[in-house]
Every structure is written in C-alpha cells, then in structure tokens.
Amino acid sequence: MNNRVHQGHFARKRFGQNFLKDQFVIDSIVSAIHPMPGQAIVEIGPGLAALTEPVAARIDHMTVIELDRDLAARLEVNPRLANKLRVIQQDAMQVNFGELSEEIGQPLRVFGNLPYNISTPLMFHLFTYTHAISDMHFMLQKEVVNRLVAGPNSKAFGRLSVMAQYYCNIIPVLEVPPESFTPAPKVDSAVVRLTPHPVIPYPVSDIRILARLTTDAFNQRRKTIRNSLGHLFTPEQMLELGLDVSMRAENISVEQYCKLANWLSTRKTDNS
C-alpha cells in the first residue's frame, strides 16, 4: 500500500502534507485548545479533518483555511461538518487575519498542523495580526518549537526566538513522534501554544528596525557583535547600551534587542 495515501487522498509533497492519525495525540491537542461555543475558531490546513471533526463537535461554527482545492471541496461536502464550516480555499500567507477577526467580531483562536516548509514564514505573517488573535496552537517540527522557546546563551536561540517572544508568551504542549502521521515525517514534531502578550513587555517604536537588527545579528551569529553589528553601533555605543562587544548574537536577550532597536529608531528620528 502507498504510504502517501490516507483516507483516499494522496499526500502532496508540495503542500507539505502529513496527516495526523494518532487518536491520543488528536485528543490531547483538542483538550489543549479547549474550544468553546461562540469563540472565533480558525484552523489552518484542516487536511482530512483529523482535528477539525473533534473541534467542530464542541462548537457551533468554525472557519478553516485550506490551500489544497481537493481537500477544500471534500470539507464542503463532509456530512458531519458541512453545516458548521466556513471553508476559505486560499493560501494562509495571503489571508488578512485582522479583517477576518473584524468580520467575526472578536479575536481569533487559531490552530493547525502546519506544513513544515512554510511554518516559520506563516508565523511571522501571523505575528503582524496579534492584535486580532487571542491564542494559537500549532503542530510544528520539534526543532522549530525548541527555537521558539529558547532563551539567550543557547544554540537554539535565534531571530525566530526573539521575534516570537516579542509578540507572544510561548508554552510547549506535547511532543509527537513521526509514526503519529501518514506519511511519517523524517523529524519529530511538537505542539506549542502561543498567546499574544496583552501588553508588549518591551515595546519597540519601529518593529522593522528590530527585524533588521535581529537579521543582521543572527546572519553572522558566529561573529562577535563588534563585527556583526559594527555597521550600526560603535564599540563605545555598545558599551553605553550595556553590551560587552565580545558577546555574540545568541548572548543578547529579547529585552536588550528591543533596547538596541529603540536606540537606533531614536537616532534615525534625530537624523531625519
């Protein structure tokens, strides 16, 4: 039997499709999400409805976003789901979640078993809508979850860690082995909860500067900040800002990155 076929659907590599089949894992994820009637529940990549059906069983209505035309059509005629679903057949990277939240009239609760090949850019897309999202539960590659929750002075700490923690409180929920899926991925997976901060702990005046700063730092993470950030700060300025010039990108905390970004933003304003 072809291990890429599940419930009559051939898993498409280009969509990064790995279908969840482990009932214990499914029940654990649904319990973690804890959907309630009246909430604005949105699923990204419902696939063959392994999570959609048990979530929909607890609520009256939900929105699903599915890129695969065949799967979207299948959901629309599913006898257990058709009257509960609004199916958006679209790339989630193109969805305006702010408009969706306004349309529904409340912040969104977003979840999904995300295709691993787009999980990081999709999360960055969602971070721009945290004002319209109350929480997110995602199945991700375990390595990505490790990066999301990593703190300074660890190899896993990187740009994703800084930007995700700027916007959200992040809690790992569950580890999931490859055999829980069809076809089985080559990596371990994990479920994570991201809850946007009600108030950003270290607000920056220009998020684009924080994004640029972290990109520059982590693109040359083996170098000391004297070298990787030398085009933005003199060694004297780094010292004034409380940094040791022999530090590397992974040694700088989220709070410190935000402080650096605000200093650059102020300087940019002064020079304009």
Side-chain angles (χ1 to χ4, degrees):
M1 183 179 170
N2 191 320
N3 67 359
R4 299 196 66 79
V5 176
H6 187 57
Q7 295 180 16
H9 180 81
F10 186 83
R12 292 178 167 93
K13 282 187 178 180
R14 70 189 177 99
F15 291 152
Q17 291 175 343
N18 299 91
F19 298 111
L20 192 57
K21 63 179 182 180
D22 185 317
Q23 196 59 49
F24 172 77
V25 171
I26 291 167
D27 292 344
S28 298
I29 295 170
V30 175
S31 294
I33 297 169
H34 194 57
M36 301 283 285
Q39 294 177 336
I41 308 290
V42 178
E43 182 178 11
I44 297 173
L48 292 167
L51 292 170
T52 319
E53 289 197 6
V55 168
R58 297 188 180 202
I59 59 178
D60 306 315
H61 188 265
M62 63 186 285
T63 301
V64 296
I65 301 164
E66 177 57 65
L67 177 59
D68 187 317
R69 191 181 295 108
D70 294 343
L71 290 176
R74 187 167 168 159
L75 287 162
E76 285 172 340
V77 298
N78 183 311
R80 292 182 297 277
L81 294 172
N83 64 343
K84 289 193 171 188
L85 294 190
R86 174 191 177 187
V87 181
I88 299 175
Q89 199 263 301
Q90 192 178 356
D91 182 349
M93 290 287 289
Q94 307 303 319
V95 173
N96 185 320
F97 289 90
E99 285 183 2
L100 185 57
S101 171
E102 282 184 23
E103 194 180 309
I104 298 173
Q106 61 175 298
L108 308 176
R109 301 197 65 210
V110 184
F111 75 96
N113 173 17
L114 300 187
Y116 296 161
N117 54 343
I118 64 141
S119 60
T120 298
L122 181 53
M123 280 189 288
F124 274 103
H125 178 63
L126 286 159
F127 292 154
T128 65
Y129 296 107
T130 47
H131 62 283
I133 294 172
S134 60
D135 64 11
M136 299 176 273
H137 291 80
F138 293 132
M139 175 88 73
L140 301 165
Q141 194 171 326
K142 185 180 172 184
E143 179 195 341
V144 174
V145 173
N146 289 343
R147 286 162 51 204
L148 283 169
V149 301
N153 306 312
S154 77
K155 294 297 180 188
F157 187 70
R159 180 170 182 258
L160 178 61
S161 318
V162 175
M163 299 306 292
Q165 291 169 32
Y166 174 81
Y167 287 108
C168 299
N169 180 50
I170 305 160
I171 301 172
V173 173
L174 177 73
E175 292 190 6
V176 185
E179 55 269 23
S180 297
F181 302 88
T182 295
K186 293 184 171 68
V187 294
D188 288 334
S189 305
V191 178
V192 67
R193 177 185 294 123
L194 300 100
T195 308
H197 298 299
V199 178
I200 298 287
Y202 315 114
V204 298
S205 51
D206 189 339
I207 195 67
R208 294 168 300 177
I209 291 178
L210 180 62
R212 176 194 162 196
L213 175 64
T214 52
T215 298
D216 289 354
F218 287 102
N219 276 353
Q220 305 178 76
R221 63 183 300 147
R222 292 178 182 276
K223 294 185 177 181
T224 64
I225 57 169
R226 177 197 286 271
N227 295 315
S228 63
L229 297 178
H231 61 300
L232 297 173
F233 307 90
T234 66
E236 292 74 25
Q237 288 165 343
M238 290 182 191
L239 290 170
E240 285 175 21
L241 288 162
L243 299 179
D244 181 335
V245 296
S246 66
M247 295 168 85
R248 289 179 168 78
E250 67 196 42
N251 305 129
I252 303 173
S253 68
V254 176
E255 181 179 6
Q256 287 171 314
Y257 274 114
C258 294
K259 184 177 179 181
L260 294 174
N262 281 330
W263 186 89
L264 286 173
S265 183
T266 303
R267 191 170 176 225
K268 184 180 174 185
T269 304
D270 291 344
N271 292 339
S272 60

mmCIF file of all heavy atoms in Angstrom, residues 40-85:
data_model
loop_
_atom_site.group_PDB
_atom_site.id
_atom_site.type_symbol
_atom_site.label_atom_id
_atom_site.label_comp_id
_atom_site.label_asym_id
_atom_site.label_seq_id
_atom_site.Cartn_x
_atom_site.Cartn_y
_atom_site.Cartn_z
ATOM 1 N N ALA A 40 -14.259 32.421 18.137
ATOM 2 C CA ALA A 40 -13.898 32.551 16.721
ATOM 3 C C ALA A 40 -12.751 31.582 16.420
ATOM 4 O O ALA A 40 -11.577 31.945 16.441
ATOM 5 C CB ALA A 40 -13.481 33.983 16.411
ATOM 6 N N ILE A 41 -13.088 30.335 16.169
ATOM 7 C CA ILE A 41 -12.099 29.286 15.947
ATOM 8 C C ILE A 41 -11.716 29.242 14.472
ATOM 9 O O ILE A 41 -12.585 29.162 13.603
ATOM 10 C CB ILE A 41 -12.645 27.904 16.380
ATOM 11 C CG1 ILE A 41 -13.192 27.946 17.815
ATOM 12 C CG2 ILE A 41 -11.579 26.830 16.204
ATOM 13 C CD1 ILE A 41 -12.167 28.096 18.894
ATOM 14 N N VAL A 42 -10.405 29.272 14.213
ATOM 15 C CA VAL A 42 -9.899 29.243 12.837
ATOM 16 C C VAL A 42 -8.820 28.173 12.735
ATOM 17 O O VAL A 42 -7.843 28.200 13.489
ATOM 18 C CB VAL A 42 -9.295 30.613 12.427
ATOM 19 C CG1 VAL A 42 -8.732 30.545 11.004
ATOM 20 C CG2 VAL A 42 -10.338 31.714 12.535
ATOM 21 N N GLU A 43 -9.002 27.244 11.801
ATOM 22 C CA GLU A 43 -7.985 26.213 11.585
ATOM 23 C C GLU A 43 -7.266 26.459 10.266
ATOM 24 O O GLU A 43 -7.899 26.689 9.233
ATOM 25 C CB GLU A 43 -8.607 24.812 11.567
ATOM 26 C CG GLU A 43 -7.548 23.718 11.392
ATOM 27 C CD GLU A 43 -8.100 22.305 11.414
ATOM 28 O OE1 GLU A 43 -9.342 22.147 11.350
ATOM 29 O OE2 GLU A 43 -7.296 21.356 11.489
ATOM 30 N N ILE A 44 -5.943 26.391 10.315
ATOM 31 C CA ILE A 44 -5.121 26.498 9.110
ATOM 32 C C ILE A 44 -4.719 25.090 8.686
ATOM 33 O O ILE A 44 -4.152 24.335 9.477
ATOM 34 C CB ILE A 44 -3.872 27.361 9.362
ATOM 35 C CG1 ILE A 44 -4.271 28.797 9.710
ATOM 36 C CG2 ILE A 44 -2.951 27.356 8.137
ATOM 37 C CD1 ILE A 44 -3.105 29.688 10.134
ATOM 38 N N GLY A 45 -5.028 24.737 7.442
ATOM 39 C CA GLY A 45 -4.657 23.420 6.925
ATOM 40 C C GLY A 45 -5.407 22.277 7.566
ATOM 41 O O GLY A 45 -4.791 21.375 8.146
ATOM 42 N N PRO A 46 -6.735 22.258 7.484
ATOM 43 C CA PRO A 46 -7.507 21.179 8.125
ATOM 44 C C PRO A 46 -7.277 19.800 7.516
ATOM 45 O O PRO A 46 -7.516 18.794 8.175
ATOM 46 C CB PRO A 46 -8.964 21.624 7.924
ATOM 47 C CG PRO A 46 -8.918 22.538 6.743
ATOM 48 C CD PRO A 46 -7.602 23.249 6.833
ATOM 49 N N GLY A 47 -6.824 19.767 6.258
ATOM 50 C CA GLY A 47 -6.486 18.486 5.643
ATOM 51 C C GLY A 47 -7.665 17.535 5.595
ATOM 52 O O GLY A 47 -8.720 17.843 5.046
ATOM 53 N N LEU A 48 -7.503 16.363 6.214
ATOM 54 C CA LEU A 48 -8.554 15.341 6.219
ATOM 55 C C LEU A 48 -9.416 15.407 7.480
ATOM 56 O O LEU A 48 -10.095 14.448 7.836
ATOM 57 C CB LEU A 48 -7.923 13.955 6.059
ATOM 58 C CG LEU A 48 -7.302 13.711 4.671
ATOM 59 C CD1 LEU A 48 -6.429 12.467 4.666
ATOM 60 C CD2 LEU A 48 -8.390 13.601 3.609
ATOM 61 N N ALA A 49 -9.338 16.558 8.170
ATOM 62 C CA ALA A 49 -10.250 16.867 9.289
ATOM 63 C C ALA A 49 -9.995 16.066 10.561
ATOM 64 O O ALA A 49 -10.896 15.922 11.394
ATOM 65 C CB ALA A 49 -11.711 16.714 8.856
ATOM 66 N N ALA A 50 -8.766 15.560 10.749
ATOM 67 C CA ALA A 50 -8.457 14.803 11.971
ATOM 68 C C ALA A 50 -8.693 15.648 13.219
ATOM 69 O O ALA A 50 -9.187 15.153 14.243
ATOM 70 C CB ALA A 50 -7.011 14.310 11.933
ATOM 71 N N LEU A 51 -8.326 16.932 13.156
ATOM 72 C CA LEU A 51 -8.576 17.846 14.275
ATOM 73 C C LEU A 51 -9.897 18.586 14.096
ATOM 74 O O LEU A 51 -10.559 18.926 15.079
ATOM 75 C CB LEU A 51 -7.430 18.859 14.402
ATOM 76 C CG LEU A 51 -6.084 18.295 14.846
ATOM 77 C CD1 LEU A 51 -4.987 19.346 14.700
ATOM 78 C CD2 LEU A 51 -6.149 17.823 16.304
ATOM 79 N N THR A 52 -10.255 18.840 12.849
ATOM 80 C CA THR A 52 -11.466 19.621 12.566
ATOM 81 C C THR A 52 -12.706 18.972 13.163
ATOM 82 O O THR A 52 -13.538 19.649 13.788
ATOM 83 C CB THR A 52 -11.661 19.762 11.035
ATOM 84 O OG1 THR A 52 -10.406 20.001 10.415
ATOM 85 C CG2 THR A 52 -12.615 20.889 10.712
ATOM 86 N N GLU A 53 -12.850 17.668 12.971
ATOM 87 C CA GLU A 53 -14.075 16.993 13.432
ATOM 88 C C GLU A 53 -14.249 17.048 14.947
ATOM 89 O O GLU A 53 -15.320 17.435 15.429
ATOM 90 C CB GLU A 53 -14.105 15.558 12.911
ATOM 91 C CG GLU A 53 -14.357 15.494 11.410
ATOM 92 C CD GLU A 53 -14.791 14.107 10.940
ATOM 93 O OE1 GLU A 53 -15.007 13.224 11.794
ATOM 94 O OE2 GLU A 53 -14.917 13.927 9.715
ATOM 95 N N PRO A 54 -13.212 16.691 15.742
ATOM 96 C CA PRO A 54 -13.420 16.762 17.194
ATOM 97 C C PRO A 54 -13.551 18.195 17.716
ATOM 98 O O PRO A 54 -14.241 18.422 18.714
ATOM 99 C CB PRO A 54 -12.182 16.064 17.771
ATOM 100 C CG PRO A 54 -11.167 16.077 16.689
ATOM 101 C CD PRO A 54 -11.929 16.036 15.412
ATOM 102 N N VAL A 55 -12.907 19.154 17.044
ATOM 103 C CA VAL A 55 -13.080 20.557 17.460
ATOM 104 C C VAL A 55 -14.497 21.013 17.122
ATOM 105 O O VAL A 55 -15.197 21.602 17.953
ATOM 106 C CB VAL A 55 -12.035 21.476 16.779
ATOM 107 C CG1 VAL A 55 -12.396 22.945 16.967
ATOM 108 C CG2 VAL A 55 -10.645 21.214 17.360
ATOM 109 N N ALA A 56 -14.952 20.721 15.892
ATOM 110 C CA ALA A 56 -16.290 21.132 15.468
ATOM 111 C C ALA A 56 -17.376 20.495 16.328
ATOM 112 O O ALA A 56 -18.451 21.086 16.533
ATOM 113 C CB ALA A 56 -16.507 20.764 14.001
ATOM 114 N N ALA A 57 -17.094 19.302 16.864
ATOM 115 C CA ALA A 57 -18.083 18.623 17.709
ATOM 116 C C ALA A 57 -18.369 19.403 18.991
ATOM 117 O O ALA A 57 -19.426 19.234 19.606
ATOM 118 C CB ALA A 57 -17.579 17.218 18.058
ATOM 119 N N ARG A 58 -17.428 20.261 19.389
ATOM 120 C CA ARG A 58 -17.585 21.016 20.643
ATOM 121 C C ARG A 58 -18.187 22.402 20.431
ATOM 122 O O ARG A 58 -18.484 23.091 21.409
ATOM 123 C CB ARG A 58 -16.220 21.182 21.320
ATOM 124 C CG ARG A 58 -15.572 19.873 21.745
ATOM 125 C CD ARG A 58 -14.342 20.180 22.570
ATOM 126 N NE ARG A 58 -13.650 18.984 23.027
ATOM 127 C CZ ARG A 58 -12.832 18.955 24.072
ATOM 128 N NH1 ARG A 58 -12.621 20.064 24.778
ATOM 129 N NH2 ARG A 58 -12.220 17.841 24.422
ATOM 130 N N ILE A 59 -18.282 22.846 19.183
ATOM 131 C CA ILE A 59 -18.712 24.219 18.911
ATOM 132 C C ILE A 59 -19.774 24.246 17.812
ATOM 133 O O ILE A 59 -20.107 23.219 17.220
ATOM 134 C CB ILE A 59 -17.501 25.109 18.519
ATOM 135 C CG1 ILE A 59 -16.798 24.544 17.276
ATOM 136 C CG2 ILE A 59 -16.526 25.227 19.682
ATOM 137 C CD1 ILE A 59 -15.621 25.386 16.800
ATOM 138 N N ASP A 60 -20.282 25.453 17.546
ATOM 139 C CA ASP A 60 -21.361 25.601 16.563
ATOM 140 C C ASP A 60 -20.838 25.920 15.165
ATOM 141 O O ASP A 60 -21.461 25.550 14.165
ATOM 142 C CB ASP A 60 -22.316 26.724 17.001
ATOM 143 C CG ASP A 60 -22.833 26.505 18.420
ATOM 144 O OD1 ASP A 60 -23.221 25.358 18.709
ATOM 145 O OD2 ASP A 60 -22.816 27.457 19.217
ATOM 146 N N HIS A 61 -19.730 26.639 15.098
ATOM 147 C CA HIS A 61 -19.246 27.109 13.800
ATOM 148 C C HIS A 61 -17.756 27.391 13.883
ATOM 149 O O HIS A 61 -17.251 27.799 14.924
ATOM 150 C CB HIS A 61 -19.991 28.392 13.399
ATOM 151 C CG HIS A 61 -19.683 28.830 12.003
ATOM 152 N ND1 HIS A 61 -18.712 29.772 11.729
ATOM 153 C CD2 HIS A 61 -20.201 28.454 10.810
ATOM 154 C CE1 HIS A 61 -18.647 29.954 10.406
ATOM 155 N NE2 HIS A 61 -19.538 29.172 9.833
ATOM 156 N N MET A 62 -17.043 27.155 12.774
ATOM 157 C CA MET A 62 -15.618 27.490 12.726
ATOM 158 C C MET A 62 -15.220 27.797 11.286
ATOM 159 O O MET A 62 -15.935 27.457 10.335
ATOM 160 C CB MET A 62 -14.751 26.364 13.296
ATOM 161 C CG MET A 62 -14.821 25.055 12.541
ATOM 162 S SD MET A 62 -13.907 23.704 13.364
ATOM 163 C CE MET A 62 -12.210 24.136 12.988
ATOM 164 N N THR A 63 -14.068 28.447 11.140
ATOM 165 C CA THR A 63 -13.527 28.792 9.824
ATOM 166 C C THR A 63 -12.297 27.937 9.574
ATOM 167 O O THR A 63 -11.471 27.770 10.477
ATOM 168 C CB THR A 63 -13.137 30.282 9.775
ATOM 169 O OG1 THR A 63 -14.303 31.073 10.046
ATOM 170 C CG2 THR A 63 -12.576 30.660 8.415
ATOM 171 N N VAL A 64 -12.182 27.386 8.365
ATOM 172 C CA VAL A 64 -10.980 26.626 8.021
ATOM 173 C C VAL A 64 -10.369 27.219 6.752
ATOM 174 O O VAL A 64 -11.089 27.654 5.848
ATOM 175 C CB VAL A 64 -11.266 25.117 7.837
ATOM 176 C CG1 VAL A 64 -11.742 24.500 9.141
ATOM 177 C CG2 VAL A 64 -12.268 24.856 6.729
ATOM 178 N N ILE A 65 -9.042 27.237 6.714
ATOM 179 C CA ILE A 65 -8.303 27.779 5.576
ATOM 180 C C ILE A 65 -7.508 26.641 4.964
ATOM 181 O O ILE A 65 -6.602 26.086 5.612
ATOM 182 C CB ILE A 65 -7.365 28.924 6.023
ATOM 183 C CG1 ILE A 65 -8.178 30.047 6.685
ATOM 184 C CG2 ILE A 65 -6.555 29.459 4.845
ATOM 185 C CD1 ILE A 65 -7.338 31.019 7.498
ATOM 186 N N GLU A 66 -7.839 26.266 3.739
ATOM 187 C CA GLU A 66 -7.218 25.101 3.088
ATOM 188 C C GLU A 66 -6.775 25.474 1.674
ATOM 189 O O GLU A 66 -7.586 25.894 0.857
ATOM 190 C CB GLU A 66 -8.198 23.930 3.058
ATOM 191 C CG GLU A 66 -7.683 22.685 2.339
ATOM 192 C CD GLU A 66 -6.379 22.169 2.921
ATOM 193 O OE1 GLU A 66 -6.364 21.736 4.100
ATOM 194 O OE2 GLU A 66 -5.363 22.205 2.190
ATOM 195 N N LEU A 67 -5.486 25.312 1.402
ATOM 196 C CA LEU A 67 -4.943 25.633 0.085
ATOM 197 C C LEU A 67 -5.273 24.570 -0.956
ATOM 198 O O LEU A 67 -5.540 24.888 -2.120
ATOM 199 C CB LEU A 67 -3.414 25.808 0.199
ATOM 200 C CG LEU A 67 -2.642 26.089 -1.092
ATOM 201 C CD1 LEU A 67 -3.146 27.361 -1.766
ATOM 202 C CD2 LEU A 67 -1.147 26.201 -0.787
ATOM 203 N N ASP A 68 -5.266 23.304 -0.550
ATOM 204 C CA ASP A 68 -5.493 22.196 -1.469
ATOM 205 C C ASP A 68 -6.959 22.191 -1.919
ATOM 206 O O ASP A 68 -7.871 21.967 -1.123
ATOM 207 C CB ASP A 68 -5.137 20.878 -0.759
ATOM 208 C CG ASP A 68 -5.166 19.671 -1.689
ATOM 209 O OD1 ASP A 68 -6.100 19.568 -2.503
ATOM 210 O OD2 ASP A 68 -4.264 18.816 -1.585
ATOM 211 N N ARG A 69 -7.179 22.424 -3.206
ATOM 212 C CA ARG A 69 -8.539 22.534 -3.753
ATOM 213 C C ARG A 69 -9.357 21.266 -3.501
ATOM 214 O O ARG A 69 -10.533 21.315 -3.172
ATOM 215 C CB ARG A 69 -8.447 22.829 -5.254
ATOM 216 C CG ARG A 69 -9.770 23.232 -5.894
ATOM 217 C CD ARG A 69 -9.610 23.491 -7.386
ATOM 218 N NE ARG A 69 -8.762 24.627 -7.675
ATOM 219 C CZ ARG A 69 -7.514 24.542 -8.181
ATOM 220 N NH1 ARG A 69 -6.987 23.358 -8.451
ATOM 221 N NH2 ARG A 69 -6.812 25.617 -8.427
ATOM 222 N N ASP A 70 -8.707 20.113 -3.663
ATOM 223 C CA ASP A 70 -9.419 18.840 -3.473
ATOM 224 C C ASP A 70 -9.880 18.673 -2.030
ATOM 225 O O ASP A 70 -10.999 18.217 -1.766
ATOM 226 C CB ASP A 70 -8.517 17.657 -3.864
ATOM 227 C CG ASP A 70 -8.200 17.627 -5.348
ATOM 228 O OD1 ASP A 70 -8.912 18.301 -6.113
ATOM 229 O OD2 ASP A 70 -7.228 16.947 -5.737
ATOM 230 N N LEU A 71 -8.997 19.017 -1.094
ATOM 231 C CA LEU A 71 -9.356 18.876 0.320
ATOM 232 C C LEU A 71 -10.425 19.883 0.725
ATOM 233 O O LEU A 71 -11.313 19.571 1.529
ATOM 234 C CB LEU A 71 -8.107 19.033 1.194
ATOM 235 C CG LEU A 71 -7.091 17.885 1.109
ATOM 236 C CD1 LEU A 71 -5.850 18.202 1.930
ATOM 237 C CD2 LEU A 71 -7.708 16.568 1.583
ATOM 238 N N ALA A 72 -10.335 21.102 0.185
ATOM 239 C CA ALA A 72 -11.360 22.114 0.484
ATOM 240 C C ALA A 72 -12.726 21.640 0.011
ATOM 241 O O ALA A 72 -13.729 21.751 0.737
ATOM 242 C CB ALA A 72 -10.990 23.443 -0.183
ATOM 243 N N ALA A 73 -12.768 21.067 -1.205
ATOM 244 C CA ALA A 73 -14.037 20.563 -1.749
ATOM 245 C C ALA A 73 -14.568 19.411 -0.895
ATOM 246 O O ALA A 73 -15.780 19.290 -0.656
ATOM 247 C CB ALA A 73 -13.837 20.107 -3.191
ATOM 248 N N ARG A 74 -13.670 18.580 -0.436
ATOM 249 C CA ARG A 74 -14.051 17.436 0.396
ATOM 250 C C ARG A 74 -14.665 17.907 1.719
ATOM 251 O O ARG A 74 -15.650 17.335 2.195
ATOM 252 C CB ARG A 74 -12.798 16.593 0.628
ATOM 253 C CG ARG A 74 -13.007 15.272 1.318
ATOM 254 C CD ARG A 74 -11.752 14.424 1.177
ATOM 255 N NE ARG A 74 -11.791 13.277 2.057
ATOM 256 C CZ ARG A 74 -11.059 12.177 1.884
ATOM 257 N NH1 ARG A 74 -10.242 12.088 0.847
ATOM 258 N NH2 ARG A 74 -11.141 11.171 2.721
ATOM 259 N N LEU A 75 -14.098 18.966 2.300
ATOM 260 C CA LEU A 75 -14.618 19.501 3.558
ATOM 261 C C LEU A 75 -16.022 20.093 3.376
ATOM 262 O O LEU A 75 -16.873 19.975 4.256
ATOM 263 C CB LEU A 75 -13.671 20.580 4.098
ATOM 264 C CG LEU A 75 -12.349 20.071 4.675
ATOM 265 C CD1 LEU A 75 -11.331 21.203 4.759
ATOM 266 C CD2 LEU A 75 -12.559 19.449 6.053
ATOM 267 N N GLU A 76 -16.220 20.725 2.239
ATOM 268 C CA GLU A 76 -17.505 21.394 1.991
ATOM 269 C C GLU A 76 -18.676 20.407 1.897
ATOM 270 O O GLU A 76 -19.828 20.796 2.102
ATOM 271 C CB GLU A 76 -17.416 22.233 0.714
ATOM 272 C CG GLU A 76 -16.607 23.513 0.936
ATOM 273 C CD GLU A 76 -16.334 24.277 -0.349
ATOM 274 O OE1 GLU A 76 -16.426 23.664 -1.445
ATOM 275 O OE2 GLU A 76 -16.003 25.474 -0.256
ATOM 276 N N VAL A 77 -18.373 19.145 1.571
ATOM 277 C CA VAL A 77 -19.455 18.148 1.458
ATOM 278 C C VAL A 77 -19.403 17.096 2.570
ATOM 279 O O VAL A 77 -20.158 16.125 2.541
ATOM 280 C CB VAL A 77 -19.419 17.451 0.071
ATOM 281 C CG1 VAL A 77 -19.651 18.464 -1.037
ATOM 282 C CG2 VAL A 77 -18.091 16.716 -0.157
ATOM 283 N N ASN A 78 -18.506 17.297 3.537
ATOM 284 C CA ASN A 78 -18.421 16.362 4.654
ATOM 285 C C ASN A 78 -19.728 16.419 5.451
ATOM 286 O O ASN A 78 -20.091 17.471 5.987
ATOM 287 C CB ASN A 78 -17.230 16.744 5.546
ATOM 288 C CG ASN A 78 -17.009 15.778 6.694
ATOM 289 O OD1 ASN A 78 -17.942 15.441 7.427
ATOM 290 N ND2 ASN A 78 -15.778 15.361 6.889
ATOM 291 N N PRO A 79 -20.466 15.316 5.547
ATOM 292 C CA PRO A 79 -21.800 15.350 6.180
ATOM 293 C C PRO A 79 -21.768 15.751 7.650
ATOM 294 O O PRO A 79 -22.747 16.302 8.161
ATOM 295 C CB PRO A 79 -22.322 13.921 6.001
ATOM 296 C CG PRO A 79 -21.096 13.077 5.775
ATOM 297 C CD PRO A 79 -20.115 13.956 5.069
ATOM 298 N N ARG A 80 -20.654 15.495 8.334
ATOM 299 C CA ARG A 80 -20.556 15.846 9.761
ATOM 300 C C ARG A 80 -20.122 17.292 9.965
ATOM 301 O O ARG A 80 -20.218 17.812 11.071
ATOM 302 C CB ARG A 80 -19.574 14.904 10.464
ATOM 303 C CG ARG A 80 -20.060 13.473 10.553
ATOM 304 C CD ARG A 80 -19.070 12.581 11.292
ATOM 305 N NE ARG A 80 -17.786 12.488 10.618
ATOM 306 C CZ ARG A 80 -17.525 11.656 9.620
ATOM 307 N NH1 ARG A 80 -18.485 10.866 9.153
ATOM 308 N NH2 ARG A 80 -16.331 11.609 9.059
ATOM 309 N N LEU A 81 -19.615 17.931 8.911
ATOM 310 C CA LEU A 81 -19.011 19.254 9.074
ATOM 311 C C LEU A 81 -19.650 20.358 8.246
ATOM 312 O O LEU A 81 -19.547 21.534 8.605
ATOM 313 C CB LEU A 81 -17.520 19.176 8.692
ATOM 314 C CG LEU A 81 -16.619 18.329 9.580
ATOM 315 C CD1 LEU A 81 -15.238 18.203 8.959
ATOM 316 C CD2 LEU A 81 -16.509 18.948 10.973
ATOM 317 N N ALA A 82 -20.260 19.994 7.129
ATOM 318 C CA ALA A 82 -20.685 20.994 6.145
ATOM 319 C C ALA A 82 -21.472 22.157 6.744
ATOM 320 O O ALA A 82 -21.255 23.318 6.376
ATOM 321 C CB ALA A 82 -21.492 20.328 5.037
ATOM 322 N N ASN A 83 -22.354 21.880 7.708
ATOM 323 C CA ASN A 83 -23.184 22.959 8.256
ATOM 324 C C ASN A 83 -22.486 23.745 9.359
ATOM 325 O O ASN A 83 -23.046 24.702 9.903
ATOM 326 C CB ASN A 83 -24.518 22.402 8.783
ATOM 327 C CG ASN A 83 -24.323 21.461 9.956
ATOM 328 O OD1 ASN A 83 -23.217 20.966 10.194
ATOM 329 N ND2 ASN A 83 -25.392 21.199 10.692
ATOM 330 N N LYS A 84 -21.256 23.349 9.688
ATOM 331 C CA LYS A 84 -20.521 24.053 10.749
ATOM 332 C C LYS A 84 -19.318 24.840 10.226
ATOM 333 O O LYS A 84 -18.739 25.632 10.954
ATOM 334 C CB LYS A 84 -20.010 23.045 11.803
ATOM 335 C CG LYS A 84 -21.102 22.456 12.667
ATOM 336 C CD LYS A 84 -20.490 21.740 13.862
ATOM 337 C CE LYS A 84 -21.568 21.347 14.856
ATOM 338 N NZ LYS A 84 -20.993 20.826 16.109
ATOM 339 N N LEU A 85 -18.944 24.576 8.975
ATOM 340 C CA LEU A 85 -17.692 25.139 8.461
ATOM 341 C C LEU A 85 -17.894 26.285 7.488
ATOM 342 O O LEU A 85 -18.787 26.253 6.638
ATOM 343 C CB LEU A 85 -16.877 24.069 7.726
ATOM 344 C CG LEU A 85 -16.300 22.892 8.508
ATOM 345 C CD1 LEU A 85 -15.343 22.120 7.606
ATOM 346 C CD2 LEU A 85 -15.611 23.333 9.777
#
